[in-house]
Amino acid sequence: MYLNNDRSVCSCGRIHTCDVERLIVGSHAISALPDELRRCNCHKVFMLADVNTYAAAGEQVENLLLAEGIACAKYVYPTSPEPDETAVGSAIMHFDPACDVVLAVGSGVIGDISKILANVSGKEYVIVATAPSMDGYASAGSPILHDGTKSTIQGTTPKYIIADIDVLKDAPYDMMLAGIGDMFGKYIGILDWELARDYAGEYYCEKIAQD
């Protein structure tokens, strides 16, 4: 489906928009990927995955793209990477600048690294989701450990999100359970935002907080 952006001014005084152009959810959703990539004139993708997400969907994605005549360079982490500057550096070192699109195949960490890679390279960003338990697919921020501190680094909002139910249903059960933590964390996150508003003068929107 296409995502509709209401460009009216919010009560907070700002106009809130969503930069995600298309969200595709359903059985065999991955089959729509080549056509979506052609929409943004993509001729070659750089796929980022780890050994687990490549097995879950990455190999399927790679074979599909090659069969459709879309070249695919890739880097597959040999283990599940930590969300830190080392993993980001590895992605940058393996990146092929001839690619038009950074294509993440994964969930949290792979997505966060890919957002940064797309931002620094100036490329479009697309993600194929591999777990339903992660809540940051559409966000532009990447929580990354660097210099011993976790900070949110500016990334790129995905142009397309592909969520194939046939892949998501096979995600490890412990990842499903971990998703509950993301849900509970929203309550603490709102309190943090209110404290930042009250003590640091940070921008705050009541409508977004309530939604």
Side-chain angles (χ1 to χ4, degrees):
M1 66 177 178
Y2 286 100
L3 301 183
N4 180 34
N5 282 324
D6 179 4
R7 302 193 67 85
S8 59
V9 178
C10 178
S11 58
C12 72
R14 294 191 179 187
I15 297 174
H16 305 303
T17 61
C18 176
D19 292 332
V20 179
E21 290 188 13
R22 193 162 168 85
L23 169 63
I24 300 176
V25 182
S27 182
H28 306 299
I30 285 176
S31 63
L33 181 60
D35 285 341
E36 298 307 316
L37 291 173
R38 292 187 185 102
R39 291 178 189 273
C40 55
N41 298 315
C42 174
H43 300 286
K44 185 176 184 180
V45 304
F46 179 77
M47 182 173 70
L48 194 67
D50 65 32
V51 64
N52 296 314
T53 64
Y54 184 77
E59 185 175 11
Q60 177 185 351
V61 167
E62 182 179 15
N63 290 338
L64 174 63
L65 295 181
L66 294 178
E68 291 286 335
I70 300 175
C72 181
K74 68 177 184 290
Y75 176 58
V76 179
Y77 291 94
T79 59
S80 296
E82 294 294 327
D84 58 21
E85 63 263 79
T86 300
V88 173
S90 292
I92 293 173
M93 292 295 291
H94 288 90
F95 178 65
D96 181 352
C99 294
D100 309 296
V101 170
V102 174
L103 173 63
V105 178
S107 56
V109 176
I110 294 297
D112 288 335
I113 295 170
S114 298
K115 293 173 193 176
I116 296 174
L117 180 59
N119 189 46
V120 299
S121 64
K123 307 295 184 180
E124 295 283 9
Y125 167 50
V126 176
I127 185 164
V128 174
T130 57
S133 53
M134 202 275 293
D135 68 345
Y137 285 115
S139 70
S142 297
I144 296 291
L145 282 166
H146 67 102
D147 297 333
T149 303
K150 179 168 279 192
S151 302
T152 299
I153 308 299
Q154 180 63 43
T156 296
T157 303
K159 190 177 185 72
Y160 308 128
I161 300 173
I162 311 293
D164 193 319
I165 294 174
D166 301 312
V167 174
L168 299 180
K169 70 178 178 59
D170 292 329
Y173 184 65
D174 57 351
M175 291 187 70
M176 306 285 195
L177 295 178
I180 298 174
D182 273 347
M183 296 173 62
F184 290 154
K186 292 295 178 288
Y187 294 98
I188 304 301
I190 296 300
L191 293 175
D192 284 344
W193 198 10
E194 291 174 350
L195 288 172
R197 173 199 62 193
D198 296 341
Y199 292 97
E202 185 173 313
Y203 160 75
Y204 181 87
C205 175
E206 187 65 42
K207 183 178 187 302
I208 291 177
Q210 290 178 355
D211 291 345

